[in-house]
């Protein structure tokens, strides 16, 4: 599996790693640069987040928030388009990878680790999007034959999985089968083989093994009941049935002993059927409990909270990429192109921190260009603005974000009361 863009270090750790390579007299200045860069990234993501959260409020209104007017069907359709577009973009910026349909189908076909059989009912689902981040191989010891046998299973696990599901608008909607609206959730530590458990319309079904465990004892005990308790009353019931349908003309004499035998047989049959039904029901309840426990302990966020998580992750990813791009360009011993810079960063993390990832050099270069901190010649050789000047330019960008005209200044009219 190809390496991901995600760098499994916090922003503060990346800042510390870069600062640790600098001379002591440059470290404080570099840390100030990093703080300015992070503040600007947070501001940009905050402005963007306000727009997408406003749109999400229309498609999935919060119960404790009032509105001044009711959204129309057109409003909901437009808002949903904004939500889906921003979700895809933010997921990519936060280093999530879209899980394609063939990968999901493969996961459904493979043996799961939950020891339950799940089926997805997708008739009410209009749009499904899964995203993953942090893929790693795992092993787990699985017990079978009541713990007498153990085997080691190898599987792929995702550190985080993002799920977006939009439901079809239906006039006959019920509370159990939702209509319209969207569902947005984030989970952690999800085995690839268990992706189906993240669907809201998943249903627990009995596995073949469970059917055997219930069915075989049921048949054996049924034969025992038939031989010991129903045999005496079975003949009487056959005679009564034959008389009622007209096959037998001679009436059946029902004395006290016959009635006791008949009711005893019927009671034994009813008790036997109830026990088998209870076993089936208890087995299914156990499976549902297993599913709910998996979802409860893996759930990281729901609804608008997922967007808050994505916005923070996207801002942090932008800062890490930009900071690494600037640091390695500024400290390079020889001129670097984009491809060379990409290779230097990846090799540095692999050599010093045993970390493999696909550095998104284009994202870092794009941000440096926007902030006017990058130099580039006609041959594609890159360079970074000196640290003092870079801080000055960041400070100017920050001031311009909140630039307010001063009344009385040149070209700015004064307001009289």
């Amino acid at each position: 599996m190809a390496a991901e863009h995600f760098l499994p270090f916090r922003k503060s750790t990346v800042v510390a790693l870069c600062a640790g390579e600098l001379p002591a007299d440059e470290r404080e200045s570099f840390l100030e640069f990093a703080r300015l860069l992070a503040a600007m990234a947070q501001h940009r993501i905050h402005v963007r987040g306000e727009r997408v959260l406003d749109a999400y409020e229309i498609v999935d209104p919060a119960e404790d928030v009032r509105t001044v007017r009711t959204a129309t069907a057109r409003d909901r359709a437009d808002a949903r388009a904004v939500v889906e577009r921003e979700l895809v973009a933010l997921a990519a910026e936060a280093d999530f990878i879209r899980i394609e349909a063939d990968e999901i189908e493969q996961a459904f076909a493979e043996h799961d680790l939950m020891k339950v059989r799940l089926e997805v009912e997708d008739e009410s689902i209009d749009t499904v999007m899964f995203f993953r981040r942090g893929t790693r191989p795992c092993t787990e010891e699985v017990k079978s034959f009541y713990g007498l046998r153990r085997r080691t299973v190898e599987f792929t696990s995702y550190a985080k999985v993002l799920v977006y599901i939009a439901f079809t608008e239906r006039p006959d909607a019920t509370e159990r089968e939702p209509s319209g609206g969207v569902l947005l959730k984030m989970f952690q530590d999800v085995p690839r083989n268990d992706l189906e458990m993240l669907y809201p319309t998943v249903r627990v079904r009995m596995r073949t093994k469970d059917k055997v465990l219930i069915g075989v004892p049921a048949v054996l005990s049924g034969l025992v009941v038939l031989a010991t308790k129903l045999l005496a009353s079975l003949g009487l019931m056959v005679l009564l049935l034959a008389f009622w349908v007209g096959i037998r003309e001679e009436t059946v004499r029902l004395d006290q002993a016959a009635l006791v035998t008949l009711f005893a047989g019927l009671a034994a049959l009813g008790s036997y059927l109830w026990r088998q039904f209870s076993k089936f029901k208890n087995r299914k309840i156990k499976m549902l409990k297993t599913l709910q426990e998996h979802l409860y302990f893996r759930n990281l966020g729901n609804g608008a909270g997922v967007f808050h998580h994505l916005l923070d992750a996207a801002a942090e990813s932008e800062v890490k990429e930009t900071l690494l791009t600037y640091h390695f360009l500024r400290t390079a011993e020889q001129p670097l192109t984009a491809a060379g810079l990409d290779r230097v960063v990846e090799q540095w993390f692999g050599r010093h921190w045993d970390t493999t990832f696909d550095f998104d050099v284009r994202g870092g270069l794009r941000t440096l260009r926007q902030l006017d901190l990058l130099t580039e010649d006609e041959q594609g050789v890159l360079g970074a603005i000196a640290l003092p000047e870079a801080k000055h330019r960041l400070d100017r960008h920050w001031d311009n974000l909140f630039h307010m005209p001063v009344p009385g200044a040149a070209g700015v009219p004064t307001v009289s009361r």
Side-chain angles (χ1 to χ4, degrees), residues 36 40 370-373 385 388-403:
L36 275 170
M40 295 195 64
Q370 292 172 352
L371 298 174
D372 195 23
L373 303 179
I385 300 298
E389 176 62 19
K391 288 167 54 181
H392 177 71
R393 293 186 183 187
L394 279 183
D395 184 57
R396 187 169 64 246
H397 277 290
W398 179 258
D399 290 340
N400 289 336
L401 290 175
F402 304 98
H403 179 67

Side-chain angles (χ1 to χ4, degrees), residues 22 80 123 136 195 198 203 215 222 243 246 249 261 263 266 304 307 314 328 346 364 382 385 408:
L22 299 177
R80 178 179 155 184
E123 292 82 3
R136 64 182 185 275
L195 282 176
L198 306 183
R203 297 290 181 264
F243 176 75
E249 297 181 357
T261 301
F263 283 116
L266 292 175
F307 268 115
F328 280 93
E346 292 175 359
L382 305 170
I385 300 298

Side-chain angles (χ1 to χ4, degrees), residues 331-394:
T331 59
E333 297 179 354
Q334 58 185 8
L336 291 174
T337 61
L341 174 63
D342 184 273
R343 187 164 52 251
V344 166
V345 175
E346 292 175 359
Q347 290 176 351
W348 187 78
F349 275 97
R351 183 171 60 253
H352 292 286
W353 309 106
D354 193 25
T355 300
T356 301
F357 78 115
D358 181 14
F359 180 56
D360 186 10
V361 67
R362 291 175 298 178
L365 292 174
R366 181 174 57 249
T367 305
L368 289 182
R369 288 192 184 97
Q370 292 172 352
L371 298 174
D372 195 23
L373 303 179
L374 182 71
T375 63
E376 185 174 7
D377 63 18
E378 296 179 354
Q379 286 72 40
V381 177
L382 305 170
I385 300 298
L387 187 56
E389 176 62 19
K391 288 167 54 181
H392 177 71
R393 293 186 183 187
L394 279 183

Side-chain angles (χ1 to χ4, degrees), residues 117-381:
R117 179 187 166 206
L118 303 174
E119 289 184 0
V120 176
E121 299 176 359
D122 56 0
E123 292 82 3
S124 61
I125 294 177
D126 178 58
T127 303
V128 177
M129 288 190 287
F130 277 64
F131 304 85
R132 60 176 172 84
R133 194 181 80 176
T135 303
R136 64 182 185 275
C138 297
T139 59
E140 184 173 319
E141 191 176 69
V142 178
K143 298 179 182 179
S144 58
F145 292 103
Y146 303 96
L148 298 177
R149 180 184 174 187
R150 299 171 183 263
R151 61 188 178 92
T152 300
V153 177
E154 296 181 355
F155 61 96
T156 299
S157 181
Y158 302 138
K160 290 184 180 179
V161 173
L162 173 63
V163 179
Y164 171 86
I165 294 178
F167 296 97
T168 305
E169 294 277 358
R170 294 186 298 105
D172 58 339
T174 63
E175 184 175 350
R176 180 179 177 84
E177 298 181 0
S179 171
V182 301
L183 179 142
L184 184 59
K185 288 181 176 291
M186 184 175 290
F187 300 90
Q188 64 179 348
D189 300 328
V190 179
R192 186 179 66 179
N193 299 357
D194 288 336
L195 282 176
E196 67 266 36
M197 76 177 178
L198 306 183
Y199 273 83
T201 55
V202 69
R203 297 290 181 264
V204 176
R205 297 288 185 259
M206 299 291 286
R207 299 176 301 171
T208 303
K209 176 183 177 180
D210 299 305
K211 293 177 181 178
V212 171
L213 290 176
I214 294 176
V216 172
V219 171
L220 295 178
S221 59
L223 294 175
V224 173
V225 171
L226 178 64
T228 58
K229 297 184 179 181
L230 291 180
L231 195 60
S233 58
L234 186 61
L236 183 59
M237 286 188 287
V238 171
L239 293 176
L240 285 172
L241 182 62
F243 176 75
W244 286 337
V245 299
I247 299 177
R248 176 186 171 89
E249 297 181 357
E250 184 180 352
T251 61
V252 181
R253 183 180 178 184
L254 295 175
D255 53 17
Q256 184 176 3
L259 288 174
V260 169
T261 301
L262 179 61
F263 283 116
L266 292 175
L269 177 62
S271 176
Y272 167 75
L273 294 176
W274 176 255
R275 286 198 306 272
Q276 303 312 312
F277 173 75
S278 298
K279 288 180 180 179
F280 174 84
K281 186 177 180 180
N282 291 337
R283 190 81 175 181
K284 195 166 185 178
I285 290 174
K286 184 178 179 180
M287 293 177 178
L288 286 171
K289 181 174 180 291
T290 301
L291 175 62
Q292 291 170 354
E293 287 178 349
H294 274 68
L295 294 178
Y296 180 84
F297 290 108
R298 285 178 165 83
N299 193 336
L300 283 178
N302 306 286
V306 175
F307 268 115
H308 285 290
H309 185 109
L310 276 180
L311 290 164
D312 287 342
E316 178 153 323
S317 179
E318 177 185 327
V319 174
K320 289 190 293 185
E321 291 167 359
T322 307
L323 199 65
L324 287 170
T325 302
Y326 177 79
H327 171 72
F328 280 93
L329 281 178
R330 194 176 73 89
T331 59
E333 297 179 354
Q334 58 185 8
L336 291 174
T337 61
L341 174 63
D342 184 273
R343 187 164 52 251
V344 166
V345 175
E346 292 175 359
Q347 290 176 351
W348 187 78
F349 275 97
R351 183 171 60 253
H352 292 286
W353 309 106
D354 193 25
T355 300
T356 301
F357 78 115
D358 181 14
F359 180 56
D360 186 10
V361 67
R362 291 175 298 178
L365 292 174
R366 181 174 57 249
T367 305
L368 289 182
R369 288 192 184 97
Q370 292 172 352
L371 298 174
D372 195 23
L373 303 179
L374 182 71
T375 63
E376 185 174 7
D377 63 18
E378 296 179 354
Q379 286 72 40
V381 177

